[in-house]
Amino acid sequence: MSTIAWIALGSVAAWAWLLLGQGFFWRTDQRLPRLAEPDRWPSVAVVVPARDEAGVLPLSLPSLLAQDYPGPLEIFLVDDGSTDGTGDLARTLAVRYGGPPLTVVSPGAPEPGWTGKLWALRHGIARARARGAADGSGGPEYLLLTDADIAHEPDSLRELVAAATANGLDLVSQMARLRASTGWERLVVPAFVYFFAKLYPFRRVNRPGARTAAAAGGCVLLRTEVAVRARVPEVIRQAVIDDVSLARAVQGAGGRIWLGLADRVDSIRPYPRLADLWRMVTRSAYAQLWHNPVLLAGTVAGLAVVYLAPPAAVCVGLLAGDTAAGLLGAVAWAVMTGTYVPMLRYYRQSPWRALLLPFTASLYLCMTVDSAVRHHRGRGAAWKGRTYPRPEVAPDR
């Protein structure tokens, strides 16, 4: 066989393993279980870190203020050095829409060694617990950590708490349905979740006693007692990929975790241009590889063999008459396409878009390399005017 045929054969073998041996990552059936409601609804504090979020708060914050939750509920929005009036807007929306009490916290600039989001979460959690100590309630039993661009259906918190209490879960996280309206969003966003699920198969995360740990930072319900025991967020204060680090910390403290796709939790942040999506991915891609050049090289090679080799082999088969390469490439491409269809259906996209996955994967390959280049040029993980270097000590390991 030709060299390209051997590479295509390797791709077929890789896809056979991914199809059956990687926790059925391509399935989209890990959804929040609907269970009986508890006899007593525990108290919950919602903590929302927000930095320059005036553009999305009018759509997201009212959804929290409208939560149909029977138990004690309070919202703490942490204004992380915003310059666009985020804090004042939050207060205005609370007056306009009513709902549970809302407190705006302004902790100031992060101390050295902290990322901005985790610094904000630290102060929001501390304020919630202090409020409970002051009023004699003992503080919230659960914390809902949710991003400022996340909109919740009215029964979202109710279902999260019911799932946690019925299953004895200490962390329940849902991957919010990201916006996929523009052409670039439809091309890149479903693949983003698909690749995340391949790295952290939800079924493995949810299996009791599993070693795989992950969460989706936009929507995390966390038992306060376990957060204290795990020393969250202090123990992960430098983490750029804070959601996975949080899940590892909770699991390391003996907590049970669950992760699934959301049906009633949506991200409303727009990424209309490729440049916007590019920044979202490059911010954390190299951190996902532990800033390791060897892992980077292996990832690039793996992406090339798994995603780019199949269509290349098909082209060689058609143009050069290499039958073996063409057939093996077609088999690998067919399996790849089939594994992507469920995610496209979840995002209400045409299944024919699955044929474009090799092109999307090539974009992610370039984003990953660019993330490494940015890091070595000192621009690291940049987000909203802040750049985070590689942690001196990885607090989440």
Side-chain angles (χ1 to χ4, degrees):
M1 289 196 303
S2 64
T3 300
I4 187 64
W6 281 108
I7 294 174
L9 179 61
S11 185
V12 170
W15 276 109
W17 179 78
L18 287 170
L19 180 68
L20 303 174
Q22 186 61 0
F24 295 99
F25 77 95
W26 44 272
R27 297 185 62 173
T28 57
D29 57 352
Q30 295 298 290
R31 308 295 179 89
L32 196 68
R34 298 181 181 276
L35 299 164
E37 297 182 340
D39 295 331
R40 182 189 69 84
W41 290 95
S43 57
V44 178
V46 181
V47 181
V48 185
R51 178 173 170 82
D52 292 333
E53 297 287 12
V56 295
L57 274 187
L59 297 175
S60 61
L61 188 56
S63 74
L64 292 173
L65 295 168
Q67 283 301 297
D68 177 22
Y69 184 69
L73 176 62
E74 191 166 359
I75 301 172
F76 296 84
L77 184 137
V78 186
D79 184 5
D80 180 22
S82 299
T83 59
D84 65 350
T86 289
D88 291 336
L89 175 60
R91 295 184 185 94
T92 299
L93 292 170
V95 172
R96 181 185 306 167
Y97 289 97
L102 180 139
T103 300
V104 175
V105 183
S106 300
E111 291 181 356
W114 284 83
T115 64
K117 179 178 178 179
L118 292 170
W119 177 254
L121 288 177
R122 176 195 184 191
H123 285 270
I125 293 170
R127 179 64 68 88
R129 296 185 65 204
R131 180 69 58 83
D135 63 19
S137 65
E141 296 167 78
Y142 285 89
L143 302 162
L144 175 61
L145 313 179
T146 185
D147 290 346
D149 65 327
I150 301 297
H152 296 254
E153 292 295 328
D155 59 353
S156 171
L157 178 58
R158 190 174 189 140
E159 293 193 355
L160 284 165
V161 171
T165 55
N167 288 282
L169 298 170
D170 300 296
L171 184 153
V172 179
S173 178
Q174 289 185 290
M175 176 71 75
R177 200 190 308 258
L178 305 177
R179 204 185 87 140
S181 301
T182 68
W184 284 114
E185 287 173 340
R186 288 192 290 268
L187 181 68
V188 174
V189 165
F192 178 82
V193 182
Y194 172 87
F195 292 142
F196 182 88
K198 188 172 72 171
L199 285 172
Y200 308 102
F202 294 177
R203 286 173 177 270
R204 287 187 181 173
V205 171
N206 299 339
R207 192 168 56 209
R211 298 181 60 184
T212 303
C219 178
V220 176
L221 183 74
L222 177 62
R223 193 189 303 271
T224 308
E225 183 273 327
V226 174
V228 173
R229 189 168 75 231
R231 297 190 300 118
V232 171
E234 285 79 7
V235 73
I236 60 170
R237 61 189 177 276
Q238 292 178 294
V240 174
I241 309 175
D242 53 85
D243 43 14
V244 174
S245 299
L246 171 63
R248 288 174 178 159
V250 170
Q251 188 183 73
R256 286 193 59 197
I257 63 177
W258 185 93
L259 170 64
L261 293 172
D263 289 313
R264 303 176 67 73
V265 179
D266 299 284
S267 172
I268 57 174
R269 188 181 303 282
Y271 294 96
R273 303 173 302 161
L274 178 59
D276 302 316
L277 292 157
W278 197 282
R279 282 193 295 271
M280 177 188 74
V281 175
T282 57
R283 178 172 66 97
S284 60
Y286 197 42
Q288 186 70 62
L289 301 176
W290 302 105
H291 303 96
N292 188 319
V294 176
L295 287 178
L296 173 65
T299 298
V300 170
L303 285 172
V305 170
V306 173
Y307 293 99
L308 307 187
V314 169
C315 290
V316 169
L318 293 174
L319 300 177
D322 190 334
T323 304
L327 289 176
L328 290 168
V331 170
W333 199 354
V335 177
M336 178 199 319
T337 300
T339 64
Y340 192 37
V341 167
M343 187 61 69
L344 288 173
R345 286 177 173 164
Y346 170 72
Y347 271 94
R348 307 181 184 97
Q349 304 295 322
S350 168
W352 292 106
R353 287 182 174 272
L355 293 170
L356 298 176
L357 185 57
F359 174 68
T360 306
S362 71
L363 290 177
Y364 275 91
L365 188 155
C366 294
M367 293 173 186
T368 302
V369 173
D370 187 39
S371 179
V373 171
R374 289 169 184 259
H375 169 79
H376 288 291
R377 288 180 176 176
R379 287 182 286 168
W383 187 249
K384 294 195 174 182
R386 290 176 178 153
T387 299
Y388 302 108
R390 176 182 179 176
E392 296 180 9
V393 178
D396 56 324
R397 295 187 72 175

